Amino acid sequence: MTITEIAPSQVNVGFDLRRLSPNLGAEVTGVDLCAPMGDSEVDLIRDALLRHKVLFFRGQALDPDSQRAFAERFGVLTEAHPIMEAYAEDHPEIWQIDSSTFKGRNDIWHTDVTFVERPPLGSILRAVRVPQFGGDTNWADLEAAYRTLSPGLQKLADSLTALHDGEAEFNEILREKGGESRWEGKLFAGFEPVEHPVVRIHPETGRKSLFVNRGFTTKIVGVSEAESRHLLDIFFAAIEKPENTVRHSWQAGDVVFWDNRSTAHYANNDYGNFRRIMHRVTIRGDKPRGVTGSLV
Ligand SMILES: O=C(O)CCC(=O)C(=O)O
Ligand SMILES: [Fe+2]
């Protein structure tokens, strides 16, 4: 379909941004994510994502096909998840996070899939069914977290690398699947930790972020267990400071797009037996680069 065949009201022609906190998060209004989007709109959204790190689009009417189509404007989609099954055979890129079947409720601060060599660039999450109350999600700004550290500690962090491991969160599920899983052409037969720089240079903005998270970062490399524990405690506390976070109360249809290179998130597990269903897709990312410029 060419652009002239589309009625003007169905074409996105621009949108407004409202910042939600001093550090991160902006609500985008005046955009229909189901409607075709020109390259200039895609560029505006990409710029807004780099600037605000988490974008909130309320009241959208996406379905699995249009969620995929929207996400594909920003890069190549990965398979749904290294360990978790995809939503459907014809939607291998969608992870359906259904509270009635998935025991882990993502109620731990994490950045998505940092236990692989190339964690996703970003994630796009859509609320399909929400509980009567509860189930909010929080995002933290890893660049603000880095800035929270004193200069001496920043310098130390710049020089460190850390191990990331999916075992604690996903080992049980991998075992239930028979011990093997494939993702992005890689075989997971058990978990092997991967090493990432503690301070990541954003590949597009060049800004520094504190790229560790409670969900997957297990150890600072080259220091003792006790030193690692203490350092991670300091880093996690900086990330999780409420001033460095933004929170979203979901309604069905809401879509949130986050930069997975500069944020972490936490889903509140406070909705008991109410059912909550989310659909997530992730965009392929690159290998995190540290301050020295060298890859680990
Ligand atoms: O369910 C949520 O709000 C967040 C789940 C999550 O961690 C994710 O989609 O990556
Ligand atoms: Fe997540």
Side-chain angles (χ1 to χ4, degrees), residues 95 97 106 110-113 123 216 258 260 265-266 280:
W95 177 23
I97 311 171
N106 294 305
H110 67 284
T111 297
D112 286 334
V113 201
S123 304
F216 303 124
W258 62 91
N260 198 52
H265 53 280
Y266 178 109
R280 188 189 86 181

Side-chain angles (χ1 to χ4, degrees), residues 110-122:
H110 67 284
T111 297
D112 286 334
V113 201
T114 62
F115 55 91
V116 301
E117 291 283 324
R118 288 183 294 119
L121 168 161

